Amino acid sequence: MRIVIAGGHGQIALRLERLLAARGDEVAGIIRKAEQADDLREAGAEPVVLDLESASVDEVAERLRGADAAVFAAGAGPGSGVARKETVDKAAAVLFADAAVKAGVRRFVIVSSMGADPRHQGDEIFDVYLRAKGEADAYVRGLDALDWTVLRPGQLTDDAGTGLVRLEARTGRGPIPRDDVAAVLAELVDTSATAGLTLELISGSTPVSVAVKSVAGN
């Protein structure tokens, strides 16, 4: 498979790139800064320098053409302000989805957040973030041209992955190592039977591949 990842230098994306490259997939990661390119090459991915906050749909579609799957794993990050929650967490996700449609890439996985909701109340930065992610999810779910899956991890940690997760429509809150999020994403891009599902993810007792197969087609 050829898989293009938005937010290619993110902590989850770099882990995902290593997993996909190790199993023989062709991986490209979209990054904003050219100086991040070597980190992607080290992970086994082809770096694509493109700023999703200023690129056009046509420019992004050109990078997506020929891909079998697209993964939106970009994020403004915890140190960013309100404006970039809108331009990255929402607008860049919408742009990437529109570009996937234009490029004819049906399989689309978006990394969201537990609690994401376009109707979420509050004016704190995290409230704005949850609204932006919720609005992006709602937009993607409205695109019939995509076989989309929305993944909503719980509290992200840098603990070593266990390979044991809980993946369901509703899990309740809990932590999840970034290693295990990447492992689930690697399975999801390969499992189109999870299309049309919004899934929450926390640590659990089920092996990743079994967890993905058990929700597929539900």
Side-chain angles (χ1 to χ4, degrees), residues 32 36 65 81 94 126-127 148 160 172 179 182 199:
R32 264 191 327 133
Q36 297 170 335
R65 206 153 274 120
V94 168
F126 193 65
D127 297 321
W148 54 264
D179 287 350
L199 300 167

Side-chain angles (χ1 to χ4, degrees), residues 163-165 167 184 187 205-216 218:
L164 299 172
V165 300
L167 180 70
V184 168
E187 291 280 338
S205 57
T206 307
V208 166
S209 60
V210 176
V212 172
K213 284 186 180 72
S214 71
V215 296
N218 290 346

Side-chain angles (χ1 to χ4, degrees), residues 21-197:
R23 77 180 189 193
D25 288 327
E26 185 183 333
V27 194
I30 296 176
I31 53 177
R32 264 191 327 133
K33 300 173 183 175
E35 57 265 31
Q36 297 170 335
D38 284 346
D39 290 339
L40 269 74
R41 292 189 190 99
E42 193 179 310
E46 166 202 341
V48 176
V49 181
L50 185 68
D51 187 350
L52 294 178
E53 289 178 271
S54 59
S56 68
V57 171
D58 287 339
E59 286 172 321
V60 182
E62 189 57 40
R63 307 313 200 279
L64 279 165
R65 206 153 274 120
D68 299 292
V71 178
F72 186 83
S80 60
V82 167
R84 295 199 71 230
K85 305 303 182 200
E86 290 291 326
T87 59
V88 179
D89 294 300
K90 178 184 172 183
V94 168
L95 173 76
F96 197 60
D98 285 343
V101 172
K102 185 153 197 166
V105 181
R106 286 203 65 91
R107 188 70 183 117
F108 191 94
V109 180
I110 182 168
V111 182
S112 182
S113 175
M114 195 169 291
D117 183 347
R119 296 174 302 280
H120 180 84
Q121 299 297 308
D123 300 315
E124 299 295 323
I125 286 181
F126 193 65
D127 297 321
V128 175
Y129 168 76
L130 290 177
R131 261 197 310 278
K133 293 298 280 185
E135 287 165 357
D137 294 353
Y139 185 84
V140 168
R141 290 189 298 209
L143 295 174
D144 293 337
L146 295 181
D147 294 328
W148 54 264
T149 302
V150 177
L151 182 66
R152 293 178 166 173
Q155 179 194 351
L156 298 171
T157 76
D158 288 324
D159 297 338
T162 65
L164 299 172
V165 300
R166 185 176 171 197
L167 180 70
E168 298 168 15
R170 291 279 182 275
T171 62
R173 296 192 175 275
I176 179 79
R178 288 178 172 87
D179 287 350
D180 290 334
V181 177
V184 168
L185 288 168
E187 291 280 338
L188 288 176
V189 293
D190 216 17
T191 314
S192 57
T194 59
L197 299 180

